[in-house]
Amino acid sequence: MTGRVEAALAERGLTLPQVVPPLAAYQPAVRSGVHVYTAGQLPMVEGKLPVTGKVGGEVTPEEAKDLARICALNALAAVKSVAGDLDRIARVVKVVGYVASAADFTGQPAVLNGASELLGEVLGDKGVHARSAVGVAVLPLDAPVEVELLVELEPEA
């Protein structure tokens, strides 16, 4: 049976992807008590980056916003891999997003709205979070965007 969060994804034409395998020596997500910390999630789709480059250069801010949404979807898959069920999310505590930015690009917060808006759409009030949007020179694999989550889970019954 599909839970509420996955049903909300399906209403938007989205399905939870397989967890993106680590690119190095780390885990996609780690649980500590009632918290789940995800590793930075790239906008991988079926094992590949759909776009590479710098936002404000080779990648438009609109494309990057869509990529941030994919990152958030991948992060939710990572959360589910250790929580077992996305309906156990009590709240998204914090989102940290990195945007590979052209030298004069300053629209990082708008790019990260792609991730924040998806979390709000599928989690409602539980998706409201604190956030940092950081511009960086380069990201792994020349990805334009990377997103990590800190999620609090409901205590187990």
Side-chain angles (χ1 to χ4, degrees):
M1 180 174 167
T2 301
R4 292 181 318 271
V5 176
E6 290 186 61
L9 287 168
E11 288 171 11
R12 288 152 182 81
L14 301 170
T15 56
L16 208 59
Q18 293 294 315
V19 177
V20 176
L23 300 175
Y26 63 88
Q27 294 297 311
V30 174
R31 182 173 170 187
S32 179
V34 296
H35 293 101
V36 175
Y37 298 80
T38 71
Q41 300 292 312
L42 300 178
M44 302 292 264
V45 176
E46 296 180 6
K48 297 183 181 187
L49 289 173
V51 179
T52 59
K54 307 286 184 287
V55 181
E58 305 87 354
V59 180
T60 69
E62 295 78 18
E63 288 173 311
K65 183 178 179 182
D66 290 340
L67 294 171
R69 189 173 174 91
I70 294 168
C71 292
L73 189 61
N74 288 340
L76 287 173
V79 169
K80 182 179 179 183
S81 75
V82 296
D85 184 351
L86 292 177
D87 289 348
R88 291 202 51 228
I89 294 174
R91 78 166 306 142
V92 177
V93 178
K94 184 154 187 190
V95 173
V96 179
Y98 304 94
V99 179
S101 303
D104 61 345
F105 182 71
T106 60
Q108 293 84 4
V111 168
L112 268 295
N113 281 347
S116 294
E117 290 168 2
L118 175 71
L119 295 170
E121 290 170 18
V122 299
L123 294 166
D125 289 343
K126 294 178 180 184
V128 176
H129 53 269
R131 187 181 81 186
S132 296
V134 182
V136 298
V138 68
L139 288 168
L141 305 179
D142 200 25
V145 184
E146 180 175 334
V147 172
E148 60 186 57
L149 302 181
L150 168 55
V151 172
E152 180 184 353
L153 301 176
E154 298 286 350
E156 294 187 62

PDB file of all heavy atoms in Angstrom, residues 26-65:
ATOM      1  N   TYR A  26      30.724   6.947   1.431  1.00  0.00           N
ATOM      2  CA  TYR A  26      29.700   7.503   2.312  1.00  0.00           C
ATOM      3  C   TYR A  26      28.403   6.748   2.090  1.00  0.00           C
ATOM      4  O   TYR A  26      28.295   5.941   1.163  1.00  0.00           O
ATOM      5  CB  TYR A  26      29.489   8.999   2.062  1.00  0.00           C
ATOM      6  CG  TYR A  26      28.990   9.325   0.670  1.00  0.00           C
ATOM      7  CD1 TYR A  26      27.625   9.349   0.374  1.00  0.00           C
ATOM      8  CD2 TYR A  26      29.879   9.608  -0.366  1.00  0.00           C
ATOM      9  CE1 TYR A  26      27.160   9.629  -0.896  1.00  0.00           C
ATOM     10  CE2 TYR A  26      29.419   9.892  -1.640  1.00  0.00           C
ATOM     11  CZ  TYR A  26      28.065   9.902  -1.899  1.00  0.00           C
ATOM     12  OH  TYR A  26      27.613  10.178  -3.158  1.00  0.00           O
ATOM     13  N   GLN A  27      27.421   7.006   2.917  1.00  0.00           N
ATOM     14  CA  GLN A  27      26.093   6.427   2.781  1.00  0.00           C
ATOM     15  C   GLN A  27      25.133   7.495   2.264  1.00  0.00           C
ATOM     16  O   GLN A  27      25.272   8.668   2.628  1.00  0.00           O
ATOM     17  CB  GLN A  27      25.591   5.910   4.131  1.00  0.00           C
ATOM     18  CG  GLN A  27      26.391   4.740   4.670  1.00  0.00           C
ATOM     19  CD  GLN A  27      26.277   3.537   3.756  1.00  0.00           C
ATOM     20  OE1 GLN A  27      25.195   3.139   3.342  1.00  0.00           O
ATOM     21  NE2 GLN A  27      27.422   2.957   3.422  1.00  0.00           N
ATOM     22  N   PRO A  28      24.136   7.143   1.473  1.00  0.00           N
ATOM     23  CA  PRO A  28      23.167   8.130   0.991  1.00  0.00           C
ATOM     24  C   PRO A  28      22.379   8.794   2.112  1.00  0.00           C
ATOM     25  O   PRO A  28      21.983   9.944   2.005  1.00  0.00           O
ATOM     26  CB  PRO A  28      22.254   7.326   0.066  1.00  0.00           C
ATOM     27  CG  PRO A  28      23.078   6.154  -0.353  1.00  0.00           C
ATOM     28  CD  PRO A  28      23.955   5.839   0.818  1.00  0.00           C
ATOM     29  N   ALA A  29      22.135   8.049   3.206  1.00  0.00           N
ATOM     30  CA  ALA A  29      21.426   8.594   4.364  1.00  0.00           C
ATOM     31  C   ALA A  29      21.829   7.807   5.596  1.00  0.00           C
ATOM     32  O   ALA A  29      22.120   6.610   5.514  1.00  0.00           O
ATOM     33  CB  ALA A  29      19.916   8.528   4.161  1.00  0.00           C
ATOM     34  N   VAL A  30      21.827   8.497   6.724  1.00  0.00           N
ATOM     35  CA  VAL A  30      22.154   7.876   8.004  1.00  0.00           C
ATOM     36  C   VAL A  30      21.106   8.318   9.018  1.00  0.00           C
ATOM     37  O   VAL A  30      20.760   9.502   9.086  1.00  0.00           O
ATOM     38  CB  VAL A  30      23.567   8.294   8.482  1.00  0.00           C
ATOM     39  CG1 VAL A  30      23.854   7.764   9.871  1.00  0.00           C
ATOM     40  CG2 VAL A  30      24.619   7.835   7.494  1.00  0.00           C
ATOM     41  N   ARG A  31      20.646   7.357   9.794  1.00  0.00           N
ATOM     42  CA  ARG A  31      19.687   7.665  10.851  1.00  0.00           C
ATOM     43  C   ARG A  31      20.423   7.736  12.186  1.00  0.00           C
ATOM     44  O   ARG A  31      21.257   6.892  12.497  1.00  0.00           O
ATOM     45  CB  ARG A  31      18.614   6.584  10.909  1.00  0.00           C
ATOM     46  CG  ARG A  31      17.572   6.885  11.943  1.00  0.00           C
ATOM     47  CD  ARG A  31      16.440   5.911  11.873  1.00  0.00           C
ATOM     48  NE  ARG A  31      15.600   6.115  13.041  1.00  0.00           N
ATOM     49  CZ  ARG A  31      14.598   5.355  13.372  1.00  0.00           C
ATOM     50  NH1 ARG A  31      14.281   4.329  12.615  1.00  0.00           N
ATOM     51  NH2 ARG A  31      13.903   5.602  14.443  1.00  0.00           N
ATOM     52  N   SER A  32      20.104   8.755  12.966  1.00  0.00           N
ATOM     53  CA  SER A  32      20.635   8.907  14.319  1.00  0.00           C
ATOM     54  C   SER A  32      19.456   9.282  15.210  1.00  0.00           C
ATOM     55  O   SER A  32      18.952  10.406  15.149  1.00  0.00           O
ATOM     56  CB  SER A  32      21.712   9.992  14.362  1.00  0.00           C
ATOM     57  OG  SER A  32      22.213  10.151  15.664  1.00  0.00           O
ATOM     58  N   GLY A  33      18.985   8.325  16.015  1.00  0.00           N
ATOM     59  CA  GLY A  33      17.801   8.570  16.829  1.00  0.00           C
ATOM     60  C   GLY A  33      16.592   8.813  15.949  1.00  0.00           C
ATOM     61  O   GLY A  33      16.281   8.007  15.084  1.00  0.00           O
ATOM     62  N   VAL A  34      15.933   9.960  16.141  1.00  0.00           N
ATOM     63  CA  VAL A  34      14.753  10.293  15.337  1.00  0.00           C
ATOM     64  C   VAL A  34      15.105  11.170  14.138  1.00  0.00           C
ATOM     65  O   VAL A  34      14.211  11.670  13.448  1.00  0.00           O
ATOM     66  CB  VAL A  34      13.650  10.983  16.183  1.00  0.00           C
ATOM     67  CG1 VAL A  34      13.121  10.043  17.245  1.00  0.00           C
ATOM     68  CG2 VAL A  34      14.140  12.283  16.767  1.00  0.00           C
ATOM     69  N   HIS A  35      16.387  11.349  13.867  1.00  0.00           N
ATOM     70  CA  HIS A  35      16.808  12.201  12.749  1.00  0.00           C
ATOM     71  C   HIS A  35      17.424  11.383  11.623  1.00  0.00           C
ATOM     72  O   HIS A  35      18.112  10.388  11.872  1.00  0.00           O
ATOM     73  CB  HIS A  35      17.810  13.257  13.220  1.00  0.00           C
ATOM     74  CG  HIS A  35      17.193  14.249  14.130  1.00  0.00           C
ATOM     75  ND1 HIS A  35      17.348  14.209  15.490  1.00  0.00           N
ATOM     76  CD2 HIS A  35      16.374  15.305  13.874  1.00  0.00           C
ATOM     77  CE1 HIS A  35      16.669  15.196  16.039  1.00  0.00           C
ATOM     78  NE2 HIS A  35      16.060  15.874  15.080  1.00  0.00           N
ATOM     79  N   VAL A  36      17.158  11.824  10.407  1.00  0.00           N
ATOM     80  CA  VAL A  36      17.809  11.265   9.229  1.00  0.00           C
ATOM     81  C   VAL A  36      18.564  12.393   8.551  1.00  0.00           C
ATOM     82  O   VAL A  36      17.998  13.463   8.282  1.00  0.00           O
ATOM     83  CB  VAL A  36      16.799  10.640   8.239  1.00  0.00           C
ATOM     84  CG1 VAL A  36      17.507  10.176   6.975  1.00  0.00           C
ATOM     85  CG2 VAL A  36      16.045   9.488   8.891  1.00  0.00           C
ATOM     86  N   TYR A  37      19.829  12.141   8.287  1.00  0.00           N
ATOM     87  CA  TYR A  37      20.692  13.079   7.583  1.00  0.00           C
ATOM     88  C   TYR A  37      20.985  12.473   6.220  1.00  0.00           C
ATOM     89  O   TYR A  37      21.465  11.342   6.142  1.00  0.00           O
ATOM     90  CB  TYR A  37      22.017  13.261   8.323  1.00  0.00           C
ATOM     91  CG  TYR A  37      21.886  13.829   9.710  1.00  0.00           C
ATOM     92  CD1 TYR A  37      21.531  13.031  10.792  1.00  0.00           C
ATOM     93  CD2 TYR A  37      22.127  15.173   9.948  1.00  0.00           C
ATOM     94  CE1 TYR A  37      21.410  13.546  12.066  1.00  0.00           C
ATOM     95  CE2 TYR A  37      22.011  15.702  11.228  1.00  0.00           C
ATOM     96  CZ  TYR A  37      21.652  14.885  12.283  1.00  0.00           C
ATOM     97  OH  TYR A  37      21.537  15.399  13.543  1.00  0.00           O
ATOM     98  N   THR A  38      20.689  13.202   5.168  1.00  0.00           N
ATOM     99  CA  THR A  38      21.053  12.674   3.855  1.00  0.00           C
ATOM    100  C   THR A  38      22.392  13.252   3.435  1.00  0.00           C
ATOM    101  O   THR A  38      22.761  14.362   3.826  1.00  0.00           O
ATOM    102  CB  THR A  38      20.016  13.012   2.754  1.00  0.00           C
ATOM    103  OG1 THR A  38      20.075  14.390   2.437  1.00  0.00           O
ATOM    104  CG2 THR A  38      18.612  12.590   3.169  1.00  0.00           C
ATOM    105  N   ALA A  39      23.091  12.484   2.630  1.00  0.00           N
ATOM    106  CA  ALA A  39      24.256  13.012   1.940  1.00  0.00           C
ATOM    107  C   ALA A  39      23.745  13.986   0.885  1.00  0.00           C
ATOM    108  O   ALA A  39      22.550  14.004   0.563  1.00  0.00           O
ATOM    109  CB  ALA A  39      25.026  11.866   1.281  1.00  0.00           C
ATOM    110  N   GLY A  40      24.621  14.790   0.358  1.00  0.00           N
ATOM    111  CA  GLY A  40      24.220  15.668  -0.739  1.00  0.00           C
ATOM    112  C   GLY A  40      23.722  14.838  -1.904  1.00  0.00           C
ATOM    113  O   GLY A  40      24.380  13.888  -2.327  1.00  0.00           O
ATOM    114  N   GLN A  41      22.548  15.175  -2.392  1.00  0.00           N
ATOM    115  CA  GLN A  41      21.935  14.442  -3.503  1.00  0.00           C
ATOM    116  C   GLN A  41      22.026  15.268  -4.777  1.00  0.00           C
ATOM    117  O   GLN A  41      21.604  16.428  -4.810  1.00  0.00           O
ATOM    118  CB  GLN A  41      20.473  14.127  -3.192  1.00  0.00           C
ATOM    119  CG  GLN A  41      20.293  13.273  -1.948  1.00  0.00           C
ATOM    120  CD  GLN A  41      20.828  11.875  -2.132  1.00  0.00           C
ATOM    121  OE1 GLN A  41      20.550  11.207  -3.129  1.00  0.00           O
ATOM    122  NE2 GLN A  41      21.611  11.419  -1.161  1.00  0.00           N
ATOM    123  N   LEU A  42      22.584  14.664  -5.807  1.00  0.00           N
ATOM    124  CA  LEU A  42      22.674  15.312  -7.116  1.00  0.00           C
ATOM    125  C   LEU A  42      21.381  15.044  -7.878  1.00  0.00           C
ATOM    126  O   LEU A  42      20.632  14.128  -7.547  1.00  0.00           O
ATOM    127  CB  LEU A  42      23.871  14.756  -7.886  1.00  0.00           C
ATOM    128  CG  LEU A  42      25.239  14.947  -7.230  1.00  0.00           C
ATOM    129  CD1 LEU A  42      26.325  14.306  -8.096  1.00  0.00           C
ATOM    130  CD2 LEU A  42      25.542  16.399  -6.966  1.00  0.00           C
ATOM    131  N   PRO A  43      21.134  15.798  -8.940  1.00  0.00           N
ATOM    132  CA  PRO A  43      19.905  15.596  -9.725  1.00  0.00           C
ATOM    133  C   PRO A  43      20.031  14.436 -10.714  1.00  0.00           C
ATOM    134  O   PRO A  43      19.797  14.588 -11.912  1.00  0.00           O
ATOM    135  CB  PRO A  43      19.719  16.940 -10.425  1.00  0.00           C
ATOM    136  CG  PRO A  43      21.109  17.441 -10.617  1.00  0.00           C
ATOM    137  CD  PRO A  43      21.856  16.999  -9.382  1.00  0.00           C
ATOM    138  N   MET A  44      20.388  13.275 -10.203  1.00  0.00           N
ATOM    139  CA  MET A  44      20.554  12.096 -11.058  1.00  0.00           C
ATOM    140  C   MET A  44      19.188  11.560 -11.474  1.00  0.00           C
ATOM    141  O   MET A  44      18.276  11.456 -10.653  1.00  0.00           O
ATOM    142  CB  MET A  44      21.322  11.008 -10.318  1.00  0.00           C
ATOM    143  CG  MET A  44      22.700  11.428  -9.838  1.00  0.00           C
ATOM    144  SD  MET A  44      23.856  11.703 -11.156  1.00  0.00           S
ATOM    145  CE  MET A  44      24.662  10.138 -11.203  1.00  0.00           C
ATOM    146  N   VAL A  45      19.078  11.221 -12.749  1.00  0.00           N
ATOM    147  CA  VAL A  45      17.879  10.596 -13.298  1.00  0.00           C
ATOM    148  C   VAL A  45      18.345   9.344 -14.024  1.00  0.00           C
ATOM    149  O   VAL A  45      19.114   9.440 -14.982  1.00  0.00           O
ATOM    150  CB  VAL A  45      17.129  11.535 -14.262  1.00  0.00           C
ATOM    151  CG1 VAL A  45      15.933  10.828 -14.885  1.00  0.00           C
ATOM    152  CG2 VAL A  45      16.707  12.817 -13.558  1.00  0.00           C
ATOM    153  N   GLU A  46      17.918   8.194 -13.516  1.00  0.00           N
ATOM    154  CA  GLU A  46      18.315   6.908 -14.088  1.00  0.00           C
ATOM    155  C   GLU A  46      19.833   6.813 -14.228  1.00  0.00           C
ATOM    156  O   GLU A  46      20.359   6.388 -15.249  1.00  0.00           O
ATOM    157  CB  GLU A  46      17.600   6.676 -15.414  1.00  0.00           C
ATOM    158  CG  GLU A  46      16.088   6.580 -15.237  1.00  0.00           C
ATOM    159  CD  GLU A  46      15.336   6.338 -16.531  1.00  0.00           C
ATOM    160  OE1 GLU A  46      15.973   6.128 -17.591  1.00  0.00           O
ATOM    161  OE2 GLU A  46      14.101   6.368 -16.471  1.00  0.00           O
ATOM    162  N   GLY A  47      20.542   7.248 -13.188  1.00  0.00           N
ATOM    163  CA  GLY A  47      21.991   7.102 -13.132  1.00  0.00           C
ATOM    164  C   GLY A  47      22.808   8.149 -13.859  1.00  0.00           C
ATOM    165  O   GLY A  47      24.033   8.042 -13.919  1.00  0.00           O
ATOM    166  N   LYS A  48      22.142   9.169 -14.399  1.00  0.00           N
ATOM    167  CA  LYS A  48      22.871  10.189 -15.153  1.00  0.00           C
ATOM    168  C   LYS A  48      22.396  11.586 -14.785  1.00  0.00           C
ATOM    169  O   LYS A  48      21.248  11.776 -14.391  1.00  0.00           O
ATOM    170  CB  LYS A  48      22.674   9.983 -16.661  1.00  0.00           C
ATOM    171  CG  LYS A  48      23.222   8.675 -17.154  1.00  0.00           C
ATOM    172  CD  LYS A  48      23.077   8.554 -18.642  1.00  0.00           C
ATOM    173  CE  LYS A  48      23.642   7.196 -19.039  1.00  0.00           C
ATOM    174  NZ  LYS A  48      23.714   6.984 -20.445  1.00  0.00           N
ATOM    175  N   LEU A  49      23.293  12.546 -14.962  1.00  0.00           N
ATOM    176  CA  LEU A  49      22.900  13.951 -14.806  1.00  0.00           C
ATOM    177  C   LEU A  49      22.280  14.420 -16.113  1.00  0.00           C
ATOM    178  O   LEU A  49      22.903  14.297 -17.173  1.00  0.00           O
ATOM    179  CB  LEU A  49      24.129  14.820 -14.497  1.00  0.00           C
ATOM    180  CG  LEU A  49      24.741  14.653 -13.121  1.00  0.00           C
ATOM    181  CD1 LEU A  49      26.046  15.441 -13.034  1.00  0.00           C
ATOM    182  CD2 LEU A  49      23.775  15.122 -12.049  1.00  0.00           C
ATOM    183  N   PRO A  50      21.068  14.967 -16.073  1.00  0.00           N
ATOM    184  CA  PRO A  50      20.442  15.438 -17.309  1.00  0.00           C
ATOM    185  C   PRO A  50      21.123  16.680 -17.892  1.00  0.00           C
ATOM    186  O   PRO A  50      21.047  16.917 -19.094  1.00  0.00           O
ATOM    187  CB  PRO A  50      18.999  15.736 -16.910  1.00  0.00           C
ATOM    188  CG  PRO A  50      18.989  15.813 -15.427  1.00  0.00           C
ATOM    189  CD  PRO A  50      20.180  15.075 -14.922  1.00  0.00           C
ATOM    190  N   VAL A  51      21.778  17.468 -17.022  1.00  0.00           N
ATOM    191  CA  VAL A  51      22.429  18.708 -17.430  1.00  0.00           C
ATOM    192  C   VAL A  51      23.667  18.883 -16.556  1.00  0.00           C
ATOM    193  O   VAL A  51      23.656  18.511 -15.391  1.00  0.00           O
ATOM    194  CB  VAL A  51      21.481  19.925 -17.215  1.00  0.00           C
ATOM    195  CG1 VAL A  51      22.139  21.225 -17.602  1.00  0.00           C
ATOM    196  CG2 VAL A  51      20.183  19.749 -17.972  1.00  0.00           C
ATOM    197  N   THR A  52      24.714  19.473 -17.118  1.00  0.00           N
ATOM    198  CA  THR A  52      25.893  19.816 -16.326  1.00  0.00           C
ATOM    199  C   THR A  52      26.256  21.270 -16.585  1.00  0.00           C
ATOM    200  O   THR A  52      25.802  21.879 -17.555  1.00  0.00           O
ATOM    201  CB  THR A  52      27.106  18.925 -16.678  1.00  0.00           C
ATOM    202  OG1 THR A  52      27.416  19.083 -18.066  1.00  0.00           O
ATOM    203  CG2 THR A  52      26.824  17.465 -16.370  1.00  0.00           C
ATOM    204  N   GLY A  53      27.086  21.816 -15.698  1.00  0.00           N
ATOM    205  CA  GLY A  53      27.578  23.173 -15.887  1.00  0.00           C
ATOM    206  C   GLY A  53      27.166  24.110 -14.778  1.00  0.00           C
ATOM    207  O   GLY A  53      26.557  23.714 -13.779  1.00  0.00           O
ATOM    208  N   LYS A  54      27.499  25.369 -14.962  1.00  0.00           N
ATOM    209  CA  LYS A  54      27.254  26.415 -13.974  1.00  0.00           C
ATOM    210  C   LYS A  54      25.913  27.096 -14.215  1.00  0.00           C
ATOM    211  O   LYS A  54      25.532  27.382 -15.349  1.00  0.00           O
ATOM    212  CB  LYS A  54      28.345  27.483 -14.028  1.00  0.00           C
ATOM    213  CG  LYS A  54      29.766  26.954 -13.927  1.00  0.00           C
ATOM    214  CD  LYS A  54      30.096  26.528 -12.526  1.00  0.00           C
ATOM    215  CE  LYS A  54      31.534  26.096 -12.386  1.00  0.00           C
ATOM    216  NZ  LYS A  54      31.847  24.815 -12.974  1.00  0.00           N
ATOM    217  N   VAL A  55      25.228  27.367 -13.115  1.00  0.00           N
ATOM    218  CA  VAL A  55      23.971  28.104 -13.197  1.00  0.00           C
ATOM    219  C   VAL A  55      24.311  29.571 -13.459  1.00  0.00           C
ATOM    220  O   VAL A  55      25.200  30.135 -12.825  1.00  0.00           O
ATOM    221  CB  VAL A  55      23.146  27.945 -11.915  1.00  0.00           C
ATOM    222  CG1 VAL A  55      21.828  28.703 -12.025  1.00  0.00           C
ATOM    223  CG2 VAL A  55      22.894  26.464 -11.618  1.00  0.00           C
ATOM    224  N   GLY A  56      23.611  30.156 -14.404  1.00  0.00           N
ATOM    225  CA  GLY A  56      23.935  31.510 -14.834  1.00  0.00           C
ATOM    226  C   GLY A  56      24.938  31.492 -15.975  1.00  0.00           C
ATOM    227  O   GLY A  56      25.312  32.529 -16.504  1.00  0.00           O
ATOM    228  N   GLY A  57      25.380  30.305 -16.355  1.00  0.00           N
ATOM    229  CA  GLY A  57      26.277  30.095 -17.486  1.00  0.00           C
ATOM    230  C   GLY A  57      25.609  29.130 -18.449  1.00  0.00           C
ATOM    231  O   GLY A  57      24.667  29.489 -19.154  1.00  0.00           O
ATOM    232  N   GLU A  58      26.049  27.874 -18.401  1.00  0.00           N
ATOM    233  CA  GLU A  58      25.490  26.847 -19.288  1.00  0.00           C
ATOM    234  C   GLU A  58      24.087  26.412 -18.889  1.00  0.00           C
ATOM    235  O   GLU A  58      23.362  25.833 -19.694  1.00  0.00           O
ATOM    236  CB  GLU A  58      26.394  25.602 -19.300  1.00  0.00           C
ATOM    237  CG  GLU A  58      27.838  25.846 -19.650  1.00  0.00           C
ATOM    238  CD  GLU A  58      28.713  26.220 -18.462  1.00  0.00           C
ATOM    239  OE1 GLU A  58      28.204  26.415 -17.344  1.00  0.00           O
ATOM    240  OE2 GLU A  58      29.924  26.341 -18.669  1.00  0.00           O
ATOM    241  N   VAL A  59      23.710  26.653 -17.650  1.00  0.00           N
ATOM    242  CA  VAL A  59      22.416  26.199 -17.115  1.00  0.00           C
ATOM    243  C   VAL A  59      21.602  27.414 -16.695  1.00  0.00           C
ATOM    244  O   VAL A  59      22.111  28.288 -15.985  1.00  0.00           O
ATOM    245  CB  VAL A  59      22.636  25.264 -15.899  1.00  0.00           C
ATOM    246  CG1 VAL A  59      21.310  24.787 -15.336  1.00  0.00           C
ATOM    247  CG2 VAL A  59      23.529  24.088 -16.281  1.00  0.00           C
ATOM    248  N   THR A  60      20.355  27.476 -17.140  1.00  0.00           N
ATOM    249  CA  THR A  60      19.502  28.608 -16.762  1.00  0.00           C
ATOM    250  C   THR A  60      19.006  28.428 -15.333  1.00  0.00           C
ATOM    251  O   THR A  60      18.911  27.296 -14.829  1.00  0.00           O
ATOM    252  CB  THR A  60      18.276  28.738 -17.684  1.00  0.00           C
ATOM    253  OG1 THR A  60      17.396  27.631 -17.447  1.00  0.00           O
ATOM    254  CG2 THR A  60      18.682  28.812 -19.158  1.00  0.00           C
ATOM    255  N   PRO A  61      18.644  29.519 -14.674  1.00  0.00           N
ATOM    256  CA  PRO A  61      18.069  29.395 -13.330  1.00  0.00           C
ATOM    257  C   PRO A  61      16.803  28.536 -13.310  1.00  0.00           C
ATOM    258  O   PRO A  61      16.577  27.794 -12.351  1.00  0.00           O
ATOM    259  CB  PRO A  61      17.768  30.846 -12.937  1.00  0.00           C
ATOM    260  CG  PRO A  61      18.741  31.649 -13.723  1.00  0.00           C
ATOM    261  CD  PRO A  61      18.884  30.920 -15.033  1.00  0.00           C
ATOM    262  N   GLU A  62      15.999  28.592 -14.354  1.00  0.00           N
ATOM    263  CA  GLU A  62      14.775  27.789 -14.415  1.00  0.00           C
ATOM    264  C   GLU A  62      15.108  26.301 -14.506  1.00  0.00           C
ATOM    265  O   GLU A  62      14.469  25.474 -13.847  1.00  0.00           O
ATOM    266  CB  GLU A  62      13.910  28.217 -15.606  1.00  0.00           C
ATOM    267  CG  GLU A  62      13.368  29.627 -15.506  1.00  0.00           C
ATOM    268  CD  GLU A  62      14.414  30.718 -15.843  1.00  0.00           C
ATOM    269  OE1 GLU A  62      15.456  30.422 -16.479  1.00  0.00           O
ATOM    270  OE2 GLU A  62      14.180  31.872 -15.448  1.00  0.00           O
ATOM    271  N   GLU A  63      16.103  25.959 -15.341  1.00  0.00           N
ATOM    272  CA  GLU A  63      16.541  24.563 -15.416  1.00  0.00           C
ATOM    273  C   GLU A  63      17.065  24.102 -14.057  1.00  0.00           C
ATOM    274  O   GLU A  63      16.769  23.001 -13.604  1.00  0.00           O
ATOM    275  CB  GLU A  63      17.663  24.398 -16.444  1.00  0.00           C
ATOM    276  CG  GLU A  63      17.248  24.513 -17.887  1.00  0.00           C
ATOM    277  CD  GLU A  63      18.444  24.513 -18.820  1.00  0.00           C
ATOM    278  OE1 GLU A  63      19.412  25.274 -18.600  1.00  0.00           O
ATOM    279  OE2 GLU A  63      18.404  23.720 -19.788  1.00  0.00           O
ATOM    280  N   ALA A  64      17.848  24.956 -13.412  1.00  0.00           N
ATOM    281  CA  ALA A  64      18.436  24.611 -12.118  1.00  0.00           C
ATOM    282  C   ALA A  64      17.361  24.409 -11.057  1.00  0.00           C
ATOM    283  O   ALA A  64      17.484  23.524 -10.205  1.00  0.00           O
ATOM    284  CB  ALA A  64      19.432  25.685 -11.694  1.00  0.00           C
ATOM    285  N   LYS A  65      16.308  25.201 -11.095  1.00  0.00           N
ATOM    286  CA  LYS A  65      15.208  25.033 -10.145  1.00  0.00           C
ATOM    287  C   LYS A  65      14.568  23.657 -10.320  1.00  0.00           C
ATOM    288  O   LYS A  65      14.271  22.968  -9.340  1.00  0.00           O
ATOM    289  CB  LYS A  65      14.172  26.146 -10.322  1.00  0.00           C
ATOM    290  CG  LYS A  65      13.035  26.075  -9.330  1.00  0.00           C
ATOM    291  CD  LYS A  65      12.059  27.233  -9.501  1.00  0.00           C
ATOM    292  CE  LYS A  65      10.908  27.109  -8.508  1.00  0.00           C
ATOM    293  NZ  LYS A  65       9.917  28.182  -8.681  1.00  0.00           N
TER     294      LYS A  65
END
